[in-house]
Amino acid sequence: MSDQGMKSRPTYAPLAPDPSGRHHLLVVEAAEVPAEALAEGVVPSAFEVWTVARRSAVPSAPAMEEAPGSVAIFRSVTHLFSALEERLARETMGLRLYAAGAEPFLWDVWGRAEKAGLSRQETAFAEVGPKARRIYCVHCRTVTEGVTTSIFTCPGCGASLFVRDHFSRRLAAFMGVQVDAEVPGEVPEAEELYA
Amino acid sequence: MTAAQPFNVRVREIVELAPSLKRFSFEPVHGGVFPTPPAGGHVLLTLRDGARVMKNAYSLVSPPSERSRYDIIVRLVAQSRGGSSHLHRKVAPGDVLEMANPVSLFPLISTAKKHLLIGGGIGITPMLSFLPELKARGARFELHQLATLEEVPVFERLLAPYAAGEEIRVHGGGRAAFDLAGLLARQPLGTHVYVCGPHSLMEAVASTAAALGWPKTKVHKESFGGDITGLPFRAVLRKSGIEVEVGESQSLLEAIEAAGVEAPCLCRGGACGQCATPLVEGEAEHRDDFLSAEEKAAGTLIMTCVSRARGPRIVIDL
């Protein structure tokens, strides 16, 4: 049941600076740039790098340097996104935005990029980290993070949801649909599939 | 695809804007209204001068919401092949001309955060169609028009209805005084640039934008046809089984049409790619903006609307 033959799933590739770009900003959902996120021979200093420390004690950056090789550390993903929105709003044409992290993070970055006017040609994503899924309940619209099983209970409406391979780039989430809609109560055993 | 069946229009008014610029206003011959044109759209006019038939594309300059008339602005060029001089010198109010429905190869991109319009000379024409549309949409835009010093007031008058509170500038100091790189470098993310004007201006915008990191998908060029004249040659139409002589002031497409062969075409300016025809023998002198450098070097396709033969004879699969 894990391979559902879905052809529309996004695909990812290790990152390298796009030579046609003028400025390269890499946002990472971790404290360091994971080596597997970069193409062979590419070093993190080719980008201006933003990372997430997930702790309160981060070095303060009085005046953030916006140049290749500079690193800015954020307390949390939310903290990084807030700064990213501000940054994109005042950026000029020529920027290339790169992201490395789990799938929901990548598409949350895309949502902000698209809102700022970036096109797919101006962005690149590398998927690294856990494969746990963000699930959107198509019935009650509750979003649940970190789902690792084929079937789980929606915390919003209590429905037993089957985790489809159908990924929404807009919502940055996979679709969850009621698994016992035909015969209420007939819920197959959940399998641990996404970790 | 060939543009839909032409229909008849009557010349309602001709206004001289400058010594070499005239605005022609057309209305439907049988009353009623025209179809709503796309912003940045152009029409194809069939001009008959004796036995000679010319089909020229002209951008509409009237607002897309205006359906009772279609306006075009035509520049009389010194080396006119006949189209512009025919319109300037022989067409009078009340005359009836054949026109094909407007089409657009230069659409405004609805997802753009900002529209940067750059016109060079008569390349102002599609911009005049964009402006009312952008105003109506409440879109963010900026326009830069390049002009010769003596034509600055003419273009300022044409742009005046849209100028209040907008970033609209007419530059009369020549290309060297126009800071294209600075302009392109300071545009916010999500800007699309639209350029219409001489080939050299469009190339300068495309190459400067690329050097500054603009993706190709956000750079839009409208070609209104450069010089298509050249040495005469003979074209063999293999499928039709005929040969046509292409005169020095005539395009290959016009010669084919004069021989009564229906050939695909749309923009007639080397931009859209509709007229790409397999080249079986001979070498082409490519003058279009559609084929890539590799395709041009391969020499297997020719754009009949603007390109010519390099040599006395070519064979095409038409």
Side-chain angles (χ1 to χ4, degrees):
Chain A
M1 223 159 42
S2 63
D3 179 14
Q4 299 167 26
M6 200 68 73
K7 301 279 192 293
S8 64
R9 285 279 302 281
T11 54
Y12 307 94
L15 304 171
D18 171 2
S20 73
R22 183 156 54 126
H23 192 83
H24 306 273
L25 174 60
L26 167 61
V27 295
V28 181
E29 192 190 22
E32 302 284 339
V33 180
E36 67 267 35
L38 301 182
E40 220 178 300
V42 175
V43 292
S45 62
F47 307 88
E48 177 191 343
V49 176
W50 288 13
T51 62
V52 176
R54 292 184 199 282
R55 52 190 170 78
S56 60
V58 295
S60 65
M64 207 192 282
E65 206 190 334
E66 296 175 358
S70 75
V71 178
I73 304 163
F74 294 87
R75 288 175 167 228
S76 64
V77 169
T78 308
H79 187 203
L80 182 146
F81 281 158
S82 164
L84 183 62
E85 285 166 20
E86 275 176 45
R87 173 68 177 272
L88 294 180
R90 62 176 170 81
E91 261 298 337
T92 51
M93 291 294 292
L95 177 79
R96 295 293 181 276
L97 180 63
Y98 310 80
E103 212 163 20
F105 173 80
L106 301 179
W107 293 93
D108 281 346
V109 170
W110 166 247
R112 286 161 174 85
E114 189 186 34
K115 201 167 169 221
L118 283 169
S119 59
R120 290 304 312 279
Q121 293 85 3
E122 295 158 279
T123 54
F125 300 141
E127 188 193 15
V128 287
K131 297 277 189 279
R133 293 182 166 186
R134 175 188 291 169
I135 305 300
Y136 175 83
C137 172
V138 304
H139 309 286
C140 81
R141 306 180 187 189
T142 295
V143 172
T144 310
E145 301 286 348
V147 175
T148 59
T149 52
S150 60
I151 292 164
F152 82 109
T153 304
C154 173
C157 65
S160 294
L161 298 181
F162 170 60
V163 174
R164 296 194 69 221
D165 251 357
H166 176 177
F167 184 77
S168 162
R169 290 162 168 79
R170 182 176 67 86
L171 299 167
F174 287 89
M175 301 292 107
V177 297
Q178 185 147 4
V179 71
D180 59 345
E182 300 290 329
V183 186
E186 197 173 283
V187 178
E189 201 164 323
E191 291 175 72
E192 187 77 18
L193 290 177
Y194 315 111
Chain B
M1 181 183 134
T2 308
Q5 277 301 309
F7 48 90
N8 287 332
V9 297
R10 181 180 290 113
V11 180
R12 184 165 99 162
E13 189 187 36
I14 302 174
V15 177
E16 186 171 316
L17 303 169
S20 72
L21 290 175
K22 280 185 177 175
R23 179 169 56 214
F24 295 78
S25 198
F26 301 101
E27 61 192 4
V29 159
H30 301 295
V33 291
F34 286 123
T36 301
H42 65 263
V43 292
L44 203 62
L45 277 180
T46 304
L47 305 168
R48 296 174 195 282
D49 190 11
R52 177 124 189 256
V53 180
M54 290 160 287
K55 290 186 182 175
N56 287 11
Y58 296 97
S59 294
L60 290 176
V61 300
S62 36
S65 59
E66 177 61 78
R67 296 179 59 195
S68 62
R69 56 165 225 272
Y70 280 170
D71 294 351
I72 62 171
I73 296 177
V74 180
R75 168 165 332 265
L76 176 62
V77 282
Q79 293 90 26
S80 168
R81 297 185 305 112
S84 72
S85 78
H86 180 81
L87 276 164
H88 266 256
R89 298 190 173 123
K90 300 195 176 159
V91 172
D95 285 0
V96 172
L97 298 177
E98 272 173 48
M99 182 185 273
N101 264 328
V103 289
S104 179
L105 299 166
F106 200 42
L108 287 170
I109 307 302
S110 58
T111 52
K113 297 289 164 194
K114 178 179 172 182
H115 307 266
L116 175 63
L117 315 179
I118 302 176
I122 191 65
I124 193 174
T125 52
M127 310 306 167
L128 291 172
S129 153
F130 283 157
L131 288 172
E133 179 69 16
L134 290 169
K135 283 262 195 188
R137 290 185 193 180
R140 183 177 173 196
F141 68 88
E142 180 175 345
L143 181 146
H144 294 268
Q145 172 67 29
L146 281 74
T148 57
L149 215 45
E150 56 270 30
E151 281 189 345
V152 166
V154 181
F155 290 129
E156 280 178 343
R157 265 198 305 279
L158 289 170
L159 294 167
Y162 314 105
E166 301 291 355
E167 282 185 90
I168 292 181
R169 282 198 58 196
V170 181
H171 303 262
R175 189 95 55 81
F178 176 61
D179 182 14
L180 178 61
L183 178 68
L184 291 170
R186 67 170 176 266
Q187 295 306 315
L189 283 189
T191 304
H192 283 247
V193 62
Y194 309 77
V195 56
C196 183
H199 194 74
S200 58
L201 174 67
M202 296 198 293
E203 284 310 305
V205 169
S207 60
T208 308
L212 290 168
W214 287 58
K216 264 189 193 151
T217 47
K218 288 178 173 168
V219 179
H220 312 276
K221 297 182 280 182
E222 172 81 319
S223 170
F224 59 88
D227 180 22
I228 61 140
T229 62
L231 291 173
F233 62 96
R234 175 180 290 264
V236 180
L237 279 53
R238 196 167 69 168
K239 275 193 212 145
S240 314
I242 58 164
E243 298 191 7
V244 298
E245 290 293 337
V246 184
E248 45 186 277
S249 69
Q250 192 181 28
S251 71
L252 172 57
L253 178 61
E254 286 168 342
I256 293 167
E257 288 174 335
V261 176
E262 192 84 2
C265 71
L266 187 60
C267 75
R268 303 180 82 95
C272 74
Q274 284 291 341
C275 70
T277 304
L279 178 62
V280 184
E281 267 180 66
E283 204 186 326
E285 186 186 313
H286 297 287
R287 296 187 184 181
D288 61 277
D289 296 311
F290 179 78
L291 296 175
S292 66
E294 297 79 55
E295 287 171 318
K296 284 176 179 169
T300 54
L301 284 174
I302 184 167
M303 312 286 289
T304 61
C305 66
V306 291
S307 298
R308 303 183 69 84
R310 192 189 296 280
R313 181 176 173 272
I314 54 168
V315 180
I316 59 174
D317 196 29
L318 190 73

